Amino acid sequence: MSYKKWVIADGDKEKASVLSEKLNLDPLVAFLLVSRGIDNQLTASDFLSPGCAFSSPFSLKDMDKAVERINRALDENEKICIYGDYDCDGVTSTALLFTFMESLGADVTYFIPNRLTDGYGMNRDAIDRIKQQGTALIITVDNGISSFDEAEYIYSLGMELIVTDHHQIGDRLPKACAVINPHREDNHIRFRDFAGVGIAFKLACAVYGGEVEDMLEQYADLVAIGTIGDIVSLKDENRGLVKAGLKLINEDSRISIAALKRAAGSEDSYMGAGDVAFQLCPRINAAGRMDNPDKALELLLCDDYEQARFMAQQLNTENAHRHEVESNMVDDIKLQIEQNPSLAGQRVIVVKGANYHKGVIGIAASHIVENYSKPSIVISTDDDGNAIASARSVEGFNIYEAISSCSDLTTHFGGHPLAAGFGLKSCDIDLFRKRINEYAKNKYPVMPVETLHIDCRISPFYLTTDFADNLAVLEPYGADNPKPLFGLYNMTLCSVTPIGDGKHIRIEAQKKGKIFRIVKFGVREDEFPYRQGDILDFAVRISKNFYKGKYYISICAVDIRKNGMDENTFFAEKSDYQLFVAGEKNKTKMYPDRAACSAVYRFIRDNNGWNFSYDDLYFCLKGVTYGQMRFALDAFCEAGLISADKKITVNPVSQKADLENTGVMKALKGRLEIE
């Protein structure tokens, strides 16, 4: 298993007590609010309020210019094209603005680029096709802020452009009648973290010129799905937009979304933000990842229920296909790493595959980060010697800067500190892997540790359906307002049962004589390194499940570790070992003396080998440093005592091995200047 550093949030208990009393809140809910910086009655009341004070759309720079140009297009019956994007945010943005413009009687069409053939953002071929349709005005949603050449090209063809986007701004703006972006410094707004669909909604509100509430009743569901799908902050106005949208989604006010809910198997269930994120958004995204994003857009624009049901089922099929491709890709990557463990031993994991699906490599990279707690890059190579890569990182390691250090090897790249994409030649992949790991070694002598932020320690006896009901006031959950994560400590493992065709496990653990059931997704029984009787700590999230007419509490483990593990020593020793292998000198004990070797070998022998990770093995040993363990294992392999391929196997031996004379030990003595 991959190990993360657990950090428990700090909160002022006295402030929480006051908040609990004044607002009649569960004391633990009040503590959660305080620990998240919502620590006085006014801010807490605003946060918990069902409504929201929305800023004027005209607080955004250039909004007045955009409204004036759109009104002129409406008056003169000019053809307008909404230029969107293929992800959930871009598709919902396009659906919203297209539907709104159509309701005003506009001569409006749309274009969404194909991820596989057009790439991200604006391109000349698309602009040519739009021009041929007789378009006079292009309005971008969720893209365009960096399309400088394309903007000039639009004007050279006699068309005009309005840009609405939410991505970060560089040192200049594209040529346009109006550039609406919340990150412009000349905006007069208090909140800037909108998704593209939030900015499209602001534009529609400005053109409408009426009450925001009227527009929310029409479009908040689309805004909510796009906002949740783009993982932007669910604070301030976004929180209000998502709350309003969830209300519409659960009232089945839009035929297309009701059909999508049914296809996802959620037509009779209440949908929270998490349900939207894991059930609706992936299905909308699947069209753009696997085939044609127009399929998702056409569904959202459909107002015939039977037609919508058919189209929703198509997206369901696309999403199932995406799952299958993703699973096969991740399995292939794991096999690569098993066959070549040095890939996972590097600071940045770089793996490649022939004709990996380009729409899925980013998801695969996220899985590798989750499994190995390291920055990871998945590359798809084609038959022409070209490659497309997607990168994901851990908090504290800027993957964008790391790729920038190798920019001479890339054909294009873009992204941000935690995620990026780029192209390169297949023949340069090995050199790229070497260069980016050299950068990581020099820039990050100690690699950032993946951190798990836990809201508070809690007794499992507190986890009831009533408590789950009390927690509901914190919804909707999302970025900057995550679903609470609780620490359960000193739990005795009773049993482990495979579920879900063996892909997941159900754990029974007890405390003070009471058994609690905890589910861990994505871990197979043979990958779970703990045994009956082990004392474990669990980082868990809770929810309510309805079964046979009754609600039950559901406990889901995000992470599991042995109770009492010294995580600081572990991470320090592992980092020292990695630095030592990379050629650095340090003071941590690396040489496995007789006692250390005996401890490691005895444990492996007594357990008939070891089927789990080296990290898991470390926590089973006492008095042995991480470096001593790894070098002892290397020496055992060289001496023929064990075989270490996918797992550690103890070999039958006829005579005592001379570990001191193995090449591993001699080289280690030389480096450490041991006589």
Side-chain angles (χ1 to χ4, degrees):
M1 294 179 69
S2 154
Y3 287 88
K4 304 175 179 65
K5 186 169 186 175
W6 290 17
V7 176
I8 300 177
D10 191 21
D12 188 318
K13 293 181 180 179
E14 188 173 330
K15 284 185 178 180
S17 178
V18 171
L19 209 58
S20 171
E21 183 176 347
K22 287 188 175 181
L23 297 180
N24 193 28
L25 293 172
D26 180 297
L28 190 49
V29 172
F31 178 82
L32 294 177
L33 286 170
V34 170
S35 68
R36 296 179 180 201
I38 306 167
D39 59 0
N40 62 67
Q41 187 174 353
L42 179 60
T43 57
S45 296
D46 286 344
F47 183 82
L48 300 174
S49 170
C52 180
F54 294 102
S55 61
S56 167
F58 291 98
S59 299
L60 290 159
K61 187 69 174 177
D62 280 4
M63 186 65 80
D64 54 342
K65 296 177 183 177
V67 171
E68 184 278 326
R69 182 62 185 90
I70 290 171
N71 283 334
R72 177 152 53 90
L74 294 171
D75 292 341
E76 298 178 6
N77 199 34
E78 292 179 317
K79 182 178 280 290
I80 301 169
C81 179
I82 312 301
Y83 197 118
D85 186 32
Y86 43 67
D87 68 1
C88 187
D89 186 18
V91 170
T92 52
S93 300
T94 307
L96 187 157
L97 204 53
F98 177 84
T99 304
F100 172 70
M101 299 299 292
E102 202 173 45
S103 74
L104 299 180
D107 181 4
V108 61
T109 186
Y110 60 79
F111 176 84
I112 299 181
N114 185 297
R115 180 194 295 264
L116 303 180
T117 57
D118 296 314
Y120 171 76
M122 306 189 82
N123 67 80
R124 289 198 174 204
D125 288 342
I127 293 167
D128 286 336
R129 297 198 294 271
I130 292 168
K131 173 62 177 177
Q132 289 167 7
Q133 296 172 354
T135 301
L137 176 64
I138 296 175
I139 305 175
T140 73
V141 288
D142 192 33
N143 74 97
I145 197 64
S146 300
S147 300
F148 308 113
D149 294 340
E150 292 80 6
E152 294 286 350
Y153 187 60
I154 286 169
Y155 277 85
S156 75
L157 296 178
M159 295 184 289
E160 292 190 300
L161 174 67
I162 293 173
V163 172
T164 77
D165 199 355
H166 72 117
H167 294 99
Q168 293 293 326
I169 298 173
D171 55 3
R172 62 186 177 121
L173 299 176
K175 181 178 182 179
C177 301
V179 177
I180 303 170
N181 186 305
H183 299 293
R184 288 185 62 164
E185 293 182 359
D186 46 0
N187 287 322
H188 300 289
I189 54 176
R190 68 177 189 278
F191 180 76
R192 297 175 183 267
D193 293 329
F194 294 100
V197 71
I199 300 304
F201 178 72
K202 288 283 189 181
L203 176 61
C205 288
V207 174
Y208 174 68
E211 293 292 328
V212 173
E213 293 300 324
D214 295 340
M215 297 294 285
L216 287 173
E217 290 176 7
Q218 295 295 317
Y219 303 110
D221 49 358
L222 294 174
V223 181
I225 294 171
T227 298
I228 292 168
D230 218 51
I231 320 178
V232 292
S233 173
L234 283 197
K235 287 186 175 180
D236 208 284
E237 291 192 47
N238 281 346
R239 183 172 171 81
L241 291 169
V242 169
K243 279 187 176 182
L246 290 174
K247 181 174 181 293
L248 294 187
I249 290 168
N250 285 290
E251 291 173 351
D252 290 335
S253 63
R254 192 178 301 272
I255 285 172
S256 57
I257 295 176
L260 193 58
K261 284 172 59 182
R262 179 170 181 170
S266 302
E267 60 181 327
D268 297 325
S269 306
Y270 174 82
M271 294 205 92
D275 302 305
V276 171
F278 289 104
Q279 296 181 46
L280 301 189
C281 295
R283 286 167 169 80
I284 293 172
N285 271 324
R289 288 188 184 280
M290 307 306 297
D291 188 16
N292 187 342
D294 285 355
K295 287 184 178 181
L297 180 58
E298 288 164 5
L299 167 64
L300 294 181
L301 298 178
C302 183
D303 56 9
D304 178 274
Y305 186 65
E306 289 306 316
Q307 177 86 13
R309 281 185 59 189
F310 173 75
M311 298 168 79
Q313 193 55 48
Q314 283 187 310
L315 293 191
N316 213 41
T317 302
E318 292 283 10
N319 193 50
H321 181 212
R322 189 268 302 172
H323 268 296
E324 181 182 2
V325 171
E326 172 191 328
S327 178
N328 291 339
M329 190 182 298
V330 171
D331 286 346
D332 184 68
I333 292 169
K334 286 182 178 179
L335 181 61
Q336 284 188 51
I337 292 174
E338 286 176 359
Q339 294 174 342
N340 184 6
S342 65
L343 290 172
Q346 296 179 328
R347 288 165 172 258
V348 180
I349 297 174
V350 180
V351 292
K352 64 181 178 180
N355 298 307
Y356 275 171
H357 197 294
K358 297 172 187 175
V360 182
I361 54 175
I363 303 176
S366 296
H367 280 291
I368 303 308
V369 171
E370 177 64 25
N371 288 333
Y372 296 95
S373 297
K374 290 184 176 184
S376 300
I377 299 172
V378 177
I379 304 175
S380 172
T381 62
D382 66 21
D383 298 334
D384 297 322
N386 299 310
I388 294 294
S390 192
R392 298 294 184 270
S393 193
V394 298
E395 186 177 337
F397 185 95
N398 190 319
I399 195 70
Y400 180 84
E401 290 184 355
I403 296 168
S404 297
S405 73
C406 309
S407 60
D408 57 306
L409 298 177
T410 65
T411 55
H412 64 274
F413 78 93
H416 53 79
L418 290 177
F422 61 98
L424 74 166
K425 295 294 183 181
S426 299
C427 60
D428 288 331
I429 292 175
D430 290 341
L431 178 58
F432 174 85
R433 181 188 290 113
K434 179 182 178 182
R435 289 263 304 274
I436 199 167
N437 274 285
E438 286 175 349
Y439 170 87
K441 175 185 171 183
N442 294 328
K443 183 73 174 180
Y444 297 87
V446 177
M447 284 289 284
V449 174
E450 192 169 5
T451 300
L452 196 65
H453 296 279
I454 296 176
D455 287 276
C456 65
R457 301 170 70 115
I458 194 172
S459 165
F461 298 94
Y462 205 85
L463 302 183
T464 64
T465 55
D466 287 341
F467 179 58
D469 289 335
N470 292 337
L471 279 177
V473 298
L474 300 177
E475 294 188 33
Y477 299 123
D480 289 339
N481 184 44
K483 191 171 186 178
L485 187 60
F486 301 106
L488 305 181
Y489 289 77
N490 295 303
M491 306 283 288
T492 302
L493 179 62
C494 300
S495 66
V496 179
T497 305
I499 57 174
D501 296 327
K503 295 179 180 179
H504 319 293
I505 54 174
R506 181 176 63 244
I507 299 162
E508 289 191 339
Q510 70 93 12
K511 190 165 190 177
K512 296 181 179 178
K514 183 176 179 181
I515 301 288
F516 297 89
R517 286 186 169 182
I518 303 169
V519 173
K520 181 73 176 83
F521 292 110
V523 172
R524 298 176 183 272
E525 184 181 15
D526 60 1
E527 297 171 336
F528 191 68
Y530 306 117
R531 299 179 178 181
Q532 183 178 358
D534 283 347
I535 309 301
L536 304 178
D537 299 337
F538 296 83
V540 303
R541 292 194 170 99
I542 68 164
S543 57
K544 276 197 326 181
N545 281 348
F546 189 74
Y547 181 68
K548 292 186 177 181
K550 185 178 179 181
Y551 282 104
Y552 296 86
I553 196 71
S554 174
I555 307 175
C556 178
V558 174
D559 200 17
I560 305 169
R561 66 184 192 182
K562 275 194 171 181
N563 177 259
M565 69 172 256
D566 186 345
E567 61 179 21
N568 290 329
T569 298
F570 163 68
F571 289 120
E573 289 184 3
K574 185 175 180 180
S575 178
D576 273 353
Y577 167 76
Q578 291 170 339
L579 285 170
F580 187 82
V581 170
E584 299 290 324
K585 290 186 176 181
N586 44 58
K587 297 179 181 178
T588 301
K589 291 182 181 178
M590 292 290 163
Y591 187 80
D593 57 19
R594 183 182 297 274
C597 287
S598 296
V600 176
Y601 184 76
R602 190 183 309 114
F603 180 87
I604 296 171
R605 182 199 61 199
D606 292 348
N607 285 275
N608 297 313
W610 187 249
N611 296 335
F612 310 105
S613 73
Y614 292 137
D615 292 357
D616 294 323
L617 176 60
Y618 169 83
F619 287 109
C620 295
L621 302 171
K622 302 293 183 183
V624 179
T625 70
Y626 193 90
Q628 287 176 323
M629 177 194 74
R630 293 297 301 269
F631 283 118
L633 292 172
D634 290 344
F636 296 162
C637 282
E638 185 180 340
L641 295 175
I642 65 172
S643 298
D645 188 7
K646 296 180 182 179
K647 58 183 181 180
I648 297 174
T649 305
V650 179
N651 297 328
V653 291
S654 57
Q655 59 184 19
K656 191 173 182 181
D658 185 3
L659 295 178
E660 293 290 330
N661 284 319
T662 59
V664 171
M665 295 295 230
K666 287 180 178 179
L668 195 55
K669 280 184 174 181
R671 278 197 64 185
L672 296 173
E673 299 178 353
I674 296 174
E675 294 294 333

